[in-house]
C-alpha cells in the first residue's frame, strides 16, 4: 500500500478510523509476567495476593518495657529466655515475645529496685495503673492482621507504595502483574541536535520529550531509546537488533521511529521492514497532519510504528496507530472520542480527515493555532484534538474529539444517543449557550 505525495493517491491510504481499527486489532494482549517488587510500582496485580503465613508471623511487643509472667514483683532473666511465674525479661517494640510471657509491662510503669537480699527485681512504679499489666497487655498476637490464605489484595489492584509495602511484609519478592508492552524509541535525523540553540539547518530534538510520556500514559513501558542519523546502515542496526534490555525486561514489543517514513532517499523505514520480512499494516493515513504514518509487523511478533519527522504530525500519528496498538497489548480500553461543538467553520477537504488541536472556549472547540505539522505552540496549549471529517464542519456542529493528557477534561456536549444538530453559518436564530463551559 503506497501513501504517495501530499494531495495524491489518498484513495489507497487508510482513513483515520480504519487506521485506528487496524492498529487495535493488530496485536494480542501481552500475558501477565512476574516482576521483582521494585519494578511493580504502578502495575496492575494479575492474581489475588494471599497471605503466605500469619501476619504478623510472630507475637511481638507493642511497647518498650519488660515481658512478664505472673504477678510481680518479678525476677529479671536474660532477654529472650523462657519465662516462668514471677519472671520478666527486657523487650523492645517489635521484639519477639518469649515463651511463657503473659503480658508486657511498659517501661514507664515499671522500675528496677533491690529486693530484701539486695538482688535487682522488677516491680510496679508509682505511675502504673492498678492491676497493671492485665493479661495480654501490649502484645501483638501472631495473625492479628491476616491468616494464611487470606486475600490481602484482589486481582486488578494498582500497585502503589502501600500495596508494595504490604506485599513485602507478606514475604513476597516478586508479584504477578498484568503484562504491558515494552517500547523502544529510535530517534532519527543527522540534523537533530540534543541541546542548546540549533544553528540554521539544524533542529533541536523534541521527541525525547514528546514520545516517552505518551508511551507511559497510554500503557507502554519505555525500556530504551537511541539516536541515529540518516544512513541506511544506522537504521538497519537500530531496527534489526532485538536489543535485549536489562532488568529482566527483555526485548521490546514495539519499536517507535521518528522520521524516515516518506519516500525520499534518506527514508529507509519501508526498506528495513521489507528486508526483515515484515509487512506494512498501515502505509499512510488520509489525514493531516501525520499522513506518512506507518505501522508494520515483523515475523518475530514485534511491531514498528513509523512516525513522521515533524513533531505535531508525529503526535497525530501516535494517536492514530500508536495509542490503539498499545491499548490492545495492554488490555485497556481504546481511547474514545467525546463530542464537542466546533468553534469554527471547516470547509470540506476531499477524502482527508483533519486533526486540529483546540482549546475549550465557552464550551466550544476553538482551534488553538500553530497547527502546522512542524509546530508545537498550539499543541502545548490544547485541551484536545478535534477530528474534522472530510465533509467539514459547521459552526456549533458536534465534532468528535480526543482528549490530551495535559489538557483540561473534555465534557460531552450532547446527551448520549442524541443526534448532532447542525447549525448553518447563515442562520439568524439564537445560539443556545446553556451548559457551555467557560
Amino acid at each position: 500500500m503506497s501513501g504517495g505525495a501530499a494531495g495524491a493517491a489518498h484513495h489507497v491510504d487508510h482513513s483515520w478510523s480504519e487506521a485506528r481499527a487496524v492498529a487495535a486489532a493488530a496485536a494480542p494482549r501481552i500475558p501477565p509476567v512476574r516482576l521483582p517488587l521494585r519494578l511493580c510500582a504502578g502495575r496492575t496485580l494479575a492474581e489475588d495476593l494471599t497471605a503466605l503465613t500469619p501476619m504478623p508471623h510472630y507475637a511481638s511487643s507493642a511497647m518498650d518495657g519488660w515481658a512478664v509472667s505472673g504477678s510481680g514483683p518479678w525476677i529479671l532473666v536474660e532477654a529472650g529466655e523462657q519465662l516462668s511465674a514471677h519472671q520478666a525479661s527486657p523487650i523492645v517494640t517489635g521484639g519477639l515475645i518469649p515463651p511463657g510471657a503473659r503480658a508486657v509491662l511498659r517501661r514507664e510503669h515499671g522500675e528496677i529496685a533491690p529486693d530484701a537480699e539486695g538482688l535487682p527485681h522488677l516491680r510496679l512504679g508509682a505511675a502504673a495503673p492498678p492491676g497493671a499489666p492485665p493479661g495480654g497487655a501490649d502484645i501483638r498476637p501472631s495473625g492479628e492482621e491476616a491468616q494464611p490464605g487470606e486475600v490481602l489484595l484482589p486481582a486488578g489492584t494498582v500497585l502503589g507504595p502501600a500495596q508494595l509495602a504490604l506485599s513485602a511484609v507478606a514475604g513476597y519478592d516478586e508479584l504477578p502483574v498484568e503484562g504491558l508492552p515494552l517500547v523502544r524509541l529510535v530517534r532519527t535525523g543527522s540534523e537533530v541536535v540534543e541541546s542548546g540553540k540549533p544553528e540554521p539547518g539544524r533542529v533541536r530534538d523534541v521527541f525525547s520529550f514528546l514520545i516517552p510520556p505518551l508511551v507511559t500514559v497510554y500503557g507502554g513501558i519505555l525500556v530504551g531509546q537511541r539516536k541515529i542519523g540518516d544512513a541506511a546502515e544506522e537504521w538497519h542496526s537500530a531496527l534489526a537488533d532485538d536489543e535485549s534490555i536489562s532488568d529482566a525486561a527483555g526485548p521490546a514489543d514495539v519499536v517507535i521511529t521518528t522520521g524516515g517514513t516518506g519516500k525520499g532517499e534518506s527514508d529507509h523505514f519501508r526498506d528495513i521492514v521489507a528486508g526483515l520480512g515484515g509487512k506494512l499494516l498501515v502505509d499512510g493515513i488520509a489525514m493531516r497532519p501525520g499522513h506518512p504514518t506507518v505501522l508494520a509487523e515483523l515475523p518475530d511478533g514485534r511491531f514498528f510504528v513509523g512516525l513522521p519527522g515533524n513533531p505535531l504530525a508525529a503526535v497525530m500519528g501516535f494517536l492514530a496507530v500508536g495509542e490503539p496498538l498499545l491499548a490492545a497489548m495492554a488490555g485497556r480500553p481504546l481511547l474514545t472520542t467525546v463530542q464537542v461543538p466546533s468553534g469554527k467553520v471547516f470547509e470540506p477537504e476531499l477524502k482527508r480527515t483533519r486533526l486540529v488541536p483546540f482549546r475549550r472556549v465557552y464550551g466550544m472547540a476553538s482551534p488553538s493555532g500553530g497547527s502546522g505539522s512542524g509546530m508545537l505552540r498550539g499543541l502545548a496549549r490544547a485541551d484536545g484534538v478535534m477530528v474534522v471529517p472530510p465533509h467539514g464542519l459547521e459552526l456549533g456542529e458536534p465534532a468528535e474529539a480526543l482528549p490530551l493528557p495535559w489538557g483540561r477534561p473534555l465534557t460531552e456536549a450532547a446527551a448520549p444517543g442524541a443526534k448532532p444538530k447542525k447549525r448553518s453559518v447563515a442562520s439568524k436564530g439564537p445560539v443556545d449557550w446553556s451548559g457551555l463551559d467557560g
Side-chain angles (χ1 to χ4, degrees), residues 101-340:
R102 296 294 181 264
V104 170
L105 177 66
R106 300 184 181 189
R107 182 168 297 278
E108 61 269 26
H109 292 166
E111 61 182 16
I112 296 176
D115 60 9
E117 299 179 359
L119 298 176
H121 71 283
L122 173 67
R123 66 186 184 187
L124 295 178
D138 290 319
I139 291 180
R140 296 170 178 162
S142 172
E144 180 182 34
E145 187 171 7
Q147 293 295 323
E150 188 174 341
V151 175
L152 303 176
L153 296 171
T157 298
V158 177
L159 298 168
Q163 292 77 20
L164 293 176
L166 175 62
S167 303
V169 168
Y172 287 89
D173 298 316
E174 294 182 336
L175 293 178
V177 295
E178 296 291 354
L180 294 178
L182 306 181
V183 181
R184 190 156 55 90
L185 173 62
V186 177
R187 298 176 286 114
T188 75
S190 300
E191 77 283 5
V192 178
V193 298
E194 303 288 310
S195 61
K197 293 182 291 185
E199 299 176 355
R202 300 275 185 171
V203 295
R204 179 68 185 268
D205 163 56
V206 297
F207 291 119
S208 59
F209 306 103
L210 268 178
I211 304 303
L214 291 176
V215 168
T216 300
V217 78
Y218 292 126
I221 299 178
L222 190 75
V223 291
Q225 57 176 298
R226 182 174 177 180
K227 167 68 171 64
I228 63 173
D230 295 321
E233 296 79 9
E234 293 180 88
W235 271 80
H236 189 274
S237 173
L239 298 187
D241 184 10
D242 267 354
E243 198 170 300
S244 292
I245 309 299
S246 60
D247 259 345
D253 302 296
V254 179
V255 177
I256 297 177
T257 64
T258 60
T261 59
K263 299 297 180 66
E265 293 183 358
S266 61
D267 298 321
H268 306 295
F269 186 95
R270 293 170 182 81
D271 291 338
I272 298 298
V273 170
L276 295 174
K279 60 181 178 181
L280 300 179
L281 303 179
V282 174
D283 187 7
I285 306 173
M287 69 181 191
R288 177 169 64 90
H291 164 249
T293 298
V294 187
L295 173 63
E297 181 179 8
L298 267 62
D300 60 10
R302 285 186 298 158
F303 290 87
F304 288 170
V305 176
L307 301 179
N310 285 311
L312 181 58
V315 172
M316 298 304 105
F318 186 94
L319 291 176
V321 298
E323 183 275 328
L325 178 70
L326 296 182
M329 301 177 88
R332 67 165 180 79
L334 193 68
L335 186 65
T336 56
T337 60
V338 298
Q339 285 196 331
V340 294

Side-chain angles (χ1 to χ4, degrees), residues 366-379:
S366 178
S368 55
S371 58
S373 63
M375 298 180 181
L376 284 170
R377 189 174 181 182
L379 185 66

